[in-house]
Amino acid sequence: MTRPRSAVASNRSLSWVYRRFFEHIEVDQAWAARVREAEARGTVLYVLRNLSFVDFLALDYLTKSLGLPEIRFANDLGLWLLEPMGRGWVSALTSHNRTGEHHDSRDAGRLRRTIDDGHSAALFLKRPPSLLEEGAVARERGGEVRALPTRGRREGDALLRAVLEAQRGRSKPILLVPQVFVWSRSPDEQKHNVVDALFGPREWPGKARTVMQFLANWRHVTLRAGEPLDVQAFLEQETRSVTPDEAGAATVEGRPPESATEDGIADSRLVRRLTYALLRRLERERRGVLGPARKPPDRQRNQVIRSPRLQKVIRDMAGDGPREQRVLGFRAVAMLRELEASVDPNAIRAIDAVIDQTVARMYSTFEVDEPGLERVRQAAKDGSLVLLPSHKSHLDYIVLSRVFHRANMPVPLVAAGDNLAFFPLGPVLRRAGAFFIRRNFRGDRLYGAVVDAYLRRLLKDGWPLEIFLEGGRSRTGKLLPPKLGLLSILVDAVLGAPNPAEEKRYRKVTFVPVSIGYERLVEEHAYVEELSGGEKKREDVGGLFRAAQTIFGHYGRLNVQFGDLLTVDGVRAELGESTGPLTPPRRRALIARLAYRAMNEVNRVTAVTPIALVATALLTHTNRGMTHACLVESCERIAGFLGGEGARFSTSLLAHCGTGVFTPRHDALREACELLLRVGHVEVLRHGEVVRSIPRTSSDRAARVHPDATYVVPELKRIPLDIAKNLIVHFFVSRAMIAIPLAAAARLGAPSLASAQLAERVQTLSRLFKHEFQFRADATFETIFTETLGAMEADGELQLDREGNVSLPTKGEGFERATLHVRVLRTFVEGYRVAARGLLALLKNPALPKDLTKRTLATGERMVLAGEIECRESVSRPLIENAFLAFVDQGYLARSEGRYVLPESYATADAVRTIESRIASYL
């Protein structure tokens, strides 16, 4: 930002103030572009909400330093500070001290002359209320701004009337650009105290409070600009919308006939509408930074408890007895205290500082999808947000809060599991915006009603919410199937109650899919233990101290990507549903479609990172060792495929992106290999010497990987690499489903398969993996199969003859890519084969799911040692558990009294072996 030369030349003291206090203002980059665009169209008038000398000085500094239209008039302030002590100072000061109608008319006349001369001005719509003007502060009710009852000069009526008159006398439009300076990040309070009465509330501060807020926050001020209002278009629209009664009125609200426009609409009404429109835009920008006004905790609880839906549940459970209803009411309040968040801006700032010293040092870079974040910012101004992020780590609870806090947006309230409510972590997270929900409250009707009422109240108040559709953290690196409980509550709130009399109005609600990607997870060691069969450890203080040791590790990069924004109405349109009431089955279908659309969006925007690329290349390599040159070639092939699929790439990874060309940076690949070597996930063979890891104290030179290196993945380190590979596995699923049956048929001597036969085998395989992958929710199987077949043929990955027979190529780049698809999903086919072998244990006795999983994992270890299973990472607890769920759907397995049993048709050893043979046929 450049120095304001004009201010320096005219007033040195003011120039020092500008340089000292206003260089730190965070200016939205779109703001200057928006003002310049408005300047090209017409005359720019900057509009601010309430009179503030500090806001005026900051705006004057920014317009001069950025070369924007400079301010030549400001109502109720004058420009005497911008001039040297002389004649202008005396006349401006005299004008500033006058009051009443004469003052208003003089200001209006000066404004009119400024506009006629083609200059810009700053208009303040309100003056701060004084102690004797109770009720002068505007309130926001139901998302609407109520105009102040005290009119006249505080609303700038005379000035806006002058703007309307000036617009009628010219063809060039006047653009009113709303400006909002936020000098305090603390949210507004709905309950005011003595300080508010004396100095004005935080949202409408008096002069003293304005100065105090400025001195306390001048390093962290935020400027936001609203959408410019075209006065010419406003007049045309109001003229078109006038009713016959209005057109025939010569006098409105006691004003003489000459105050009416030539179309019969009174200027007083136009001024009110114009004021309302500007206040709405100003408040929209302010709420976009501060969020909804904060309520006292007791008032918040009272509103939740008085919810008609919750009160109905209490009456249904307690009957008509007042005593019984009071008992359940007290119980509901206790549940609410256990549940609710208690947002504290000071705690949020403190946590952000702690993150700077810990998480920000563990991860070398925080990559944020800035265009996506801007889309989210705009959506937040129009309504409420429901963030739907992926869930791979406990860090997810703070990542989006940090991103929003750094972007000067309200931090979301996060739905967390009650397992994190332990001291001292629980109180800290609660003050940072977390509210704690039991993992399972099925059967507890009162608790479910309290959660429902609380979420509805948060949504109605306009709080951004963050819920994890997967429920728990994914240990495998890929998404888990969505859990629909909390999403159902929110969608029901948006749709409204089935009974129109109970329907509540909500602001527009936008659902935001978010991918939070980690090159390495801080829980990696614990996840490897769990995947290998170890028990999940309960979160407690000891675990908190153990986690603190991770701040000394190296975890690569962290990135946040935003998917396309979703709305309930948009998903209804996809389903072909009308806007009327929905039956319960159709509501459930709508909720499921929204959930899977969100999950598909998360997968689509997940960024490809260097470590994910390297891990995929290492694990799909068939030989024991892999040279660095071979690794680079494989990474380039994988990146080329992913780029063709529309995948996003980490900003550190992609060197060139042209038409069909996606080349990963070799330095990024080398750095990823060095990180894997440093943590012991790979070994390097160089000049006959094996390097197994690099100590933390080693120099950067010792850590570098040379081009002649050969990489070897230790058997027990394949699992953490598999977690990294699974970050991008979803991009391969559709093509791998086709390539796997074709490759299996070719190994059995059938070089091709008929298209119908191939479709049958692919559909069987996709049904088997229904609990493993998130398939597209916007098309049928036949459509997806046909589209994928055509894409693979176009890319040379398969061949289709005139008779409709499909085969894989036998050499060339197409063969290499088809083989890659097969190798990426081999782990899953082998894991399901292990699960099928484990069913033999049920020939003796039924078993609890937990016990059967343990036995099957032991069986898998023996299969690995015997060479029946190629990939060590195939022996994985989640794979085995998902396979059992799929076997139940396929009829291979049944449940009885909470135990797994074999159905009668598969109750022999030979029958169980046929299950394994069917799966092994895909290998």
Side-chain angles (χ1 to χ4, degrees):
M1 190 173 291
T2 59
R3 203 166 94 170
R5 297 176 184 269
S6 57
V8 174
S10 62
N11 191 322
R12 292 184 178 180
S13 298
L14 189 59
S15 173
W16 179 87
V17 171
Y18 281 173
R19 289 195 303 269
R20 179 72 175 86
F21 292 106
F22 296 142
E23 287 184 349
H24 300 277
I25 294 178
E26 296 183 21
V27 179
D28 183 1
Q29 294 301 316
W31 174 71
R34 185 172 289 175
V35 173
R36 290 193 179 96
E37 181 184 350
E39 182 186 19
R41 293 172 54 196
T43 301
V44 173
L45 301 184
Y46 305 97
V47 180
L48 298 94
R49 188 174 64 164
N50 54 307
L51 188 66
S52 168
F53 202 76
V54 173
D55 285 5
F56 167 70
L57 293 179
L59 184 61
D60 181 65
Y61 166 79
L62 291 175
T63 54
K64 290 175 178 176
S65 64
L66 296 176
L68 301 175
E70 294 187 16
I71 302 169
R72 299 298 179 88
F73 168 83
N75 61 295
D76 291 302
L77 287 175
L79 300 180
W80 55 272
L81 264 185
L82 305 183
E83 303 293 337
M85 297 295 182
R87 283 181 312 182
W89 177 80
V90 177
S91 61
L93 180 60
T94 304
S95 173
H96 178 64
N97 287 334
R98 289 173 182 155
T99 58
E101 295 293 333
H102 183 58
H103 173 85
D104 291 344
S105 62
R106 285 181 61 88
D107 261 4
R110 293 175 61 203
L111 173 62
R112 178 68 185 272
R113 289 192 297 273
T114 302
I115 296 174
D116 290 343
D117 291 340
H119 299 310
S120 295
L123 302 183
F124 296 93
L125 297 181
K126 313 284 184 184
R127 285 177 68 83
S130 66
L131 178 62
L132 300 179
E133 294 170 340
E134 184 179 1
V137 179
R139 303 290 184 209
E140 185 180 10
R141 292 182 175 176
E144 297 184 356
V145 176
R146 177 168 60 86
L148 299 182
T150 53
R151 301 188 56 79
R153 162 176 157 185
R154 288 178 195 84
E155 293 206 45
D157 286 11
L159 299 174
L160 291 180
R161 191 174 290 109
V163 172
L164 295 175
E165 292 172 356
Q167 181 62 77
R168 296 190 188 103
R170 55 190 282 156
S171 59
K172 195 174 183 180
I174 298 172
L175 285 305
L176 302 177
V177 184
Q179 314 290 316
V180 176
F181 286 95
V182 180
W183 298 95
S184 172
R185 290 297 306 276
S186 298
D188 300 332
E189 301 277 358
Q190 289 198 349
K191 182 179 180 180
H192 291 157
N193 51 32
V194 176
V195 174
D196 296 326
L198 292 175
F199 301 105
R202 184 180 290 111
E203 64 269 32
W204 297 90
K207 294 179 181 178
R209 190 160 195 166
T210 297
V211 173
M212 289 188 292
Q213 289 182 352
F214 164 68
L215 293 176
N217 300 281
W218 61 274
R219 290 183 180 274
H220 308 287
V221 63
T222 302
L223 170 63
R224 289 282 177 256
E227 190 68 27
L229 191 152
D230 187 327
V231 179
Q232 189 177 68
F234 170 80
L235 284 173
E236 293 174 356
Q237 180 181 358
E238 291 298 325
T239 301
R240 288 195 301 268
S241 63
V242 64
T243 65
D245 290 341
E246 289 174 323
T251 303
V252 180
E253 297 183 349
R255 295 187 180 272
E258 57 268 18
S259 69
T261 70
E262 59 187 12
D263 294 296
I265 309 175
D267 274 359
S268 59
R269 178 163 298 185
L270 287 177
V271 167
R272 284 203 306 273
R273 292 180 179 177
L274 186 57
T275 302
Y276 176 81
L278 291 171
L279 286 176
R280 287 279 293 179
R281 297 187 186 204
L282 288 165
E283 188 67 15
R284 182 173 177 260
E285 298 300 323
R286 180 177 170 82
R287 292 299 183 207
V289 176
L290 298 179
R294 189 171 57 178
K295 301 175 183 176
D298 55 346
R299 181 180 178 187
Q300 173 93 354
R301 294 188 202 107
N302 188 41
Q303 289 181 335
V304 173
I305 296 300
R306 288 191 297 125
S307 162
R309 295 169 65 92
L310 177 56
Q311 286 297 315
K312 183 178 185 301
V313 170
I314 291 176
R315 288 194 300 271
D316 290 346
M317 295 178 64
D320 297 329
R323 181 178 178 278
E324 289 78 5
Q325 290 183 13
R326 282 197 301 272
V327 170
L328 286 183
F330 289 139
R331 178 61 184 148
V333 171
M335 291 176 174
L336 187 56
R337 288 179 180 273
E338 172 189 302
L339 165 75
E340 65 186 353
S342 179
V343 180
D344 183 350
N346 294 324
I348 293 173
R349 285 191 287 269
I351 291 174
D352 187 67
V354 171
I355 293 173
D356 269 344
Q357 301 301 317
T358 54
V359 177
R361 295 188 177 188
M362 294 156 52
Y363 289 93
S364 58
T365 306
F366 271 64
E367 298 177 354
V368 179
D369 172 19
E370 295 295 344
L373 182 60
E374 185 58 33
R375 292 196 305 272
V376 175
R377 187 198 306 278
Q378 296 304 319
K381 297 174 185 177
D382 295 330
S384 300
L385 298 178
V386 177
L387 304 173
L388 305 175
S390 57
H391 196 19
K392 297 180 175 66
S393 170
H394 279 318
L395 293 182
D396 296 337
Y397 295 113
I398 61 175
V399 167
L400 283 184
S401 295
R402 174 185 169 85
V403 169
F404 275 48
H405 181 70
R406 291 299 178 96
N408 292 312
M409 297 170 62
V411 298
L413 301 188
V414 186
D418 63 349
N419 59 314
L420 297 177
F422 63 89
F423 182 84
L425 182 63
V428 173
L429 292 179
R430 195 184 297 274
R431 285 168 174 76
F435 56 95
F436 299 101
I437 296 180
R438 298 175 189 171
R439 288 293 181 181
N440 186 1
F441 48 88
R442 185 175 300 172
D444 191 338
R445 187 182 178 192
L446 180 60
Y447 186 81
V450 170
V451 173
D452 178 278
Y454 182 66
L455 289 177
R456 286 172 179 267
R457 171 48 57 182
L458 295 179
L459 203 62
K460 190 173 182 62
D461 288 345
W463 284 99
L465 302 179
E466 180 180 344
I467 66 172
F468 298 99
L469 278 180
E470 298 168 88
R473 292 168 294 159
S474 169
R475 269 69 172 169
T476 63
K478 61 184 181 61
L479 295 184
L480 301 175
K483 307 293 191 300
L484 306 182
L486 295 183
L487 185 65
S488 300
I489 293 175
L490 297 175
V491 172
D492 282 342
V494 175
L495 291 173
N499 181 1
E502 300 178 7
E503 187 169 347
K504 302 292 184 183
R505 293 187 61 188
Y506 292 86
R507 304 171 70 203
K508 179 182 178 182
V509 177
T510 302
F511 296 87
V512 185
V514 186
S515 171
I516 305 177
Y518 306 86
E519 287 204 287
R520 285 188 64 221
L521 296 163
V522 295
E523 300 97 334
E524 182 182 272
H525 179 71
Y527 285 0
V528 170
E529 286 188 358
E530 291 181 36
L531 292 173
S532 301
E535 296 293 332
K536 178 182 179 297
K537 296 180 180 179
R538 179 181 177 84
E539 282 81 6
D540 54 18
V541 177
L544 191 62
F545 283 112
R546 289 191 297 272
Q549 300 174 6
T550 62
I551 65 174
F552 300 107
H554 301 273
Y555 296 91
R557 296 171 176 84
L558 186 155
N559 67 78
V560 178
Q561 303 287 328
F562 297 93
D564 289 343
L565 307 184
L566 304 173
T567 63
V568 170
D569 288 342
V571 176
R572 288 185 72 153
E574 289 181 8
L575 292 173
E577 295 285 358
S578 63
T579 57
L582 295 175
T583 61
R586 291 190 172 187
R587 279 194 177 211
R588 290 193 293 270
L590 173 66
I591 293 166
R593 170 61 71 91
L594 175 60
Y596 281 98
R597 283 281 284 111
M599 300 298 272
N600 288 337
E601 274 299 300
V602 172
N603 270 337
R604 184 182 69 83
V605 302
T606 295
V608 181
T609 64
I611 283 187
L613 202 61
V614 169
T616 303
L618 290 172
L619 293 181
T620 55
H621 188 61
T622 54
N623 297 332
R624 174 83 174 153
M626 188 176 196
T627 65
H628 186 77
C630 184
L631 174 70
V632 171
E633 181 184 355
S634 179
C635 287
E636 289 177 345
R637 177 177 295 114
I638 297 170
F641 163 72
L642 294 172
E645 290 293 288
R648 298 184 182 184
F649 289 85
S650 168
T651 55
S652 62
L653 176 61
L654 206 58
H656 175 69
C657 180
T659 305
V661 179
F662 300 87
T663 305
R665 289 177 55 249
H666 290 189
D667 284 348
L669 300 179
R670 178 181 52 76
E671 290 168 5
C673 293
E674 290 169 358
L675 176 58
L676 293 176
L677 176 61
R678 184 179 293 276
V679 298
H681 290 352
V682 298
E683 297 175 355
V684 172
L685 178 63
R686 183 164 55 90
H687 302 312
E689 179 184 357
V690 178
V691 181
R692 290 184 169 82
S693 65
I694 302 175
R696 292 195 185 109
T697 57
S698 296
S699 65
D700 290 340
R701 181 177 296 277
R704 295 184 66 84
V705 171
H706 292 265
D708 60 347
T710 298
Y711 303 101
V712 178
V713 181
E715 199 70 15
L716 295 179
K717 298 300 182 180
R718 293 182 66 92
I719 295 179
L721 288 183
D722 192 59
I723 295 175
K725 181 204 75 175
N726 284 340
L727 184 73
I728 58 175
V729 70
H730 53 276
F731 290 109
F732 297 88
V733 170
S734 295
R735 298 195 182 202
M737 290 291 177
I738 292 177
I740 287 173
L742 289 174
R747 282 193 295 271
L748 294 175
S752 64
L753 291 176
S755 181
Q757 184 183 8
L758 175 62
E760 181 181 353
R761 298 210 72 187
V762 171
Q763 189 166 36
T764 300
L765 194 60
S766 63
R767 287 172 178 168
L768 187 66
F769 288 144
K770 64 177 292 187
H771 298 283
E772 209 65 59
F773 303 114
Q774 309 293 328
F775 296 103
R776 283 174 53 187
D778 60 342
T780 63
F781 168 80
E782 291 76 13
T783 300
I784 297 173
F785 176 78
T786 302
E787 291 178 355
T788 307
L789 203 66
M792 294 181 71
E793 183 183 15
D795 291 341
E797 296 174 2
L798 56 78
Q799 299 166 348
L800 187 65
D801 62 23
R802 296 180 179 178
E803 286 75 28
N805 297 317
V806 186
S807 61
L808 294 178
T810 57
K811 60 181 179 179
E813 182 63 21
F815 169 77
E816 296 294 340
R817 288 179 53 160
T819 303
L820 171 67
H821 302 326
V822 175
R823 298 290 304 177
V824 168
L825 256 64
R826 182 179 181 87
T827 299
F828 299 92
V829 181
E830 288 188 346
Y832 278 50
R833 181 185 178 185
V834 171
R837 178 78 62 88
L839 296 182
L840 291 171
L842 296 178
L843 292 173
K844 297 180 179 179
N845 294 300
L848 293 170
K850 185 177 180 179
D851 295 336
L852 182 60
T853 300
K854 283 186 176 181
R855 296 178 188 176
T856 304
L857 288 171
T859 299
E861 294 289 348
R862 291 192 293 270
M863 295 174 71
V864 170
L865 295 175
E868 295 180 83
I869 296 298
E870 178 181 318
C871 303
R872 173 64 182 79
E873 62 273 22
S874 300
V875 186
S876 165
R877 178 191 291 272
L879 265 180
I880 303 301
E881 292 173 342
N882 286 340
F884 289 154
L885 295 176
F887 292 168
V888 172
D889 296 336
Q890 298 285 327
Y892 303 155
L893 194 60
R895 290 177 180 269
S896 177
E897 299 179 353
R899 297 172 181 269
Y900 279 136
V901 297
L902 289 172
E904 184 177 350
S905 53
Y906 289 100
T908 65
D910 289 340
V912 171
R913 291 191 181 96
T914 62
I915 300 174
E916 182 183 348
S917 297
R918 291 176 188 175
I919 297 173
S921 67
Y922 288 103
L923 296 171

